Amino acid sequence: MLTALLITCFLLAACSTIGEPQKQQEKKAAVQADPSIAAAIKYSAYMELDLFIASKLNETESFYFRNFGAGEELDVIGKSVAYTGIFLKINNYALKGIEELAKSEPRIEKVDALAAELAPNLNELIGLYGEADTYYLMKNYADDDYSKGKTLHQQILTLHKETAPLLAEFSDALGEQLVPWLKTTMESLDSNHDVEAAAIQTLLSALALDSLLAKQGQGAGIDQLDAAQVKTLYDQLDEHIKALLHLTKDAELLEKEKLDEWLVGDNKLMLAVIEGKAAATDINQSLLQKKKASGTGNKDKDDIAKATAEIRKYRISVKKMFTAYMEYFNKADKRQ
């Protein structure tokens, strides 16, 4: 069964009202010593939330609508219900941390307001999935002839339609605000942070392509994308990834920048970068193939589904890049 440990963990780390007192005092002291740490903590927490929404929550909702229908009527009645539990379980008090995060300093334009607006919706929506989880796992539909299942379906459908646009707005607004923050962070680095500067430059390139895909291609089909713009941003991303890979082959440089852990175990940042590069290549290749096949016929549902999956995979990889970047370079961790 899917869990929400990820979102719980980041909220435990980000919210001053939750967590071990000693660690919270140390974090508070670090923030007072350097206010930029507060921004790092807040952006990291928001991106963890964005990744959670784009991956685990999206997977859960896709499963629900695929199995129970996306229309007004519950589409499972009379079918064999082979349900093994895939919905979310989450601690309600952790969700309240989103509202606290939205009120904290520094203020992040648009993002804070959207996060505060999203919090009660997410709380209620995930609560409904929790109810559905118990209802179908216990096969209570056999006792009430799907009565509660029908009610839950209407509630989930209504709230999903209301919340989905907010989730998209939140993700796009966060991406827009990350760009100037990353640029400011890169400008503050001295010559002893070549690897971090290269990582930030890769992230900025990844976010530029992500922004274009969000505006042009999400759910519309690959032919809605501007092939020339995608190619330009793809080439920039490829160039910056190669530069990052070149630098990270220098063990002495990694040691100099106190990145000894870079070579230990799975490197989450490089795994996300590789995943993002592969996904971006798929999108670019699909555009090239579409150009060659131009005029041979109209796009079909499979084409739209393929394009949507490629774009979604890329956008999730960018969120993974940022969260992994924060894990390796987060100033709050380095200075405490």
Side-chain angles (χ1 to χ4, degrees):
M1 186 182 301
L2 293 176
T3 66
L5 291 177
L6 179 65
I7 190 172
T8 303
C9 288
F10 86 70
L11 287 170
L12 288 174
C15 301
S16 61
T17 57
I18 305 173
E20 298 177 28
Q22 181 61 35
K23 288 185 178 180
Q24 293 303 324
Q25 290 177 6
E26 292 174 359
K27 191 177 292 291
K28 184 176 180 180
V31 170
Q32 290 175 340
D34 186 347
S36 67
I37 294 176
I41 293 171
K42 191 166 185 177
Y43 274 114
S44 183
Y46 271 149
M47 189 54 90
E48 290 278 10
L49 173 59
D50 194 33
L51 176 59
F52 170 80
I53 289 167
S55 55
K56 296 302 183 184
L57 181 59
N58 183 276
E59 290 165 12
T60 299
E61 296 200 308
S62 295
F63 176 90
Y64 178 86
F65 292 121
R66 186 170 63 250
N67 286 274
F68 299 95
E72 293 295 326
E73 299 296 326
L74 185 65
D75 192 29
V76 75
I77 299 174
K79 297 181 180 179
S80 175
V81 182
Y83 181 71
T84 57
I86 194 77
F87 296 156
L88 292 170
K89 293 291 186 182
I90 189 166
N91 227 329
N92 287 336
Y93 79 82
L95 276 174
K96 294 178 182 177
I98 300 174
E99 296 177 341
E100 295 302 315
L101 188 64
K103 296 175 184 176
S104 66
E105 296 294 334
R107 307 298 297 163
I108 302 178
E109 186 181 358
K110 295 183 181 178
V111 181
D112 287 330
L114 286 166
E117 189 175 357
L118 272 175
N121 279 27
L122 280 175
N123 193 0
E124 185 179 354
L125 185 59
I126 292 173
L128 289 172
Y129 282 126
E131 284 190 60
D133 193 53
T134 301
Y135 178 76
Y136 287 106
L137 276 175
M138 295 181 68
K139 299 187 177 181
N140 288 336
Y141 52 84
D143 301 321
D144 69 356
D145 193 26
Y146 291 97
S147 177
K148 184 173 181 178
K150 293 175 185 178
T151 300
L152 285 171
H153 185 71
Q154 288 298 320
Q155 292 173 321
I156 287 172
L157 190 64
T158 299
L159 197 55
H160 167 77
K161 289 179 178 178
E162 180 183 330
T163 307
L166 292 176
L167 295 177
E169 284 185 59
F170 170 78
S171 182
D172 292 344
L174 179 59
E176 290 175 3
Q177 293 301 317
L178 278 175
V179 171
W181 181 75
L182 283 168
K183 287 181 177 179
T184 299
T185 301
M186 186 166 63
E187 290 169 359
S188 70
L189 299 176
D190 57 33
S191 58
N192 294 318
H193 293 86
D194 291 342
V195 176
E196 181 171 5
I200 293 176
Q201 191 60 69
T202 299
L203 268 171
L204 288 170
S205 296
L207 283 165
L209 179 55
D210 178 77
S211 178
L212 180 68
L213 296 176
K215 292 174 182 176
Q216 294 186 3
Q218 194 69 33
I222 207 75
D223 58 346
Q224 297 299 309
L225 296 171
D226 185 313
Q229 288 184 1
V230 170
K231 182 65 166 60
T232 297
L233 295 177
Y234 171 80
D235 288 344
Q236 290 176 1
L237 175 62
D238 184 43
E239 178 185 344
H240 291 134
I241 288 175
K242 287 177 180 176
L244 176 61
L245 287 172
H246 176 73
L247 288 175
T248 55
K249 290 178 181 177
D250 189 334
E252 291 185 4
L253 184 61
L254 294 175
E255 183 178 358
K256 175 185 174 184
E257 296 192 31
K258 298 180 180 179
L259 292 170
D260 301 340
E261 71 273 22
W262 192 274
L263 302 174
V264 179
D266 292 333
N267 189 311
K268 294 179 183 179
L269 177 55
M270 297 316 298
L271 288 173
V273 167
I274 291 168
E275 179 183 319
K277 169 59 172 62
T281 300
D282 285 341
I283 293 168
N284 193 51
Q285 288 298 309
S286 291
L287 279 170
L288 290 175
Q289 293 169 9
K290 196 71 179 177
K291 185 177 180 180
K292 290 178 182 179
S294 179
T296 60
N298 295 324
K299 63 185 179 183
D300 55 25
K301 290 183 179 180
D302 289 340
D303 173 60
I304 294 175
K306 180 175 179 289
T308 300
E310 289 175 352
I311 292 170
R312 180 173 176 273
K313 184 177 181 180
Y314 176 78
R315 300 200 71 198
I316 288 176
S317 73
V318 176
K319 302 177 199 307
K320 288 181 180 178
M321 282 185 215
F322 183 85
T323 53
Y325 159 76
M326 295 302 291
E327 184 174 327
Y328 284 108
F329 299 104
N330 191 337
K331 301 301 183 296
D333 293 334
K334 297 292 183 183
R335 298 181 190 180
Q336 282 186 31

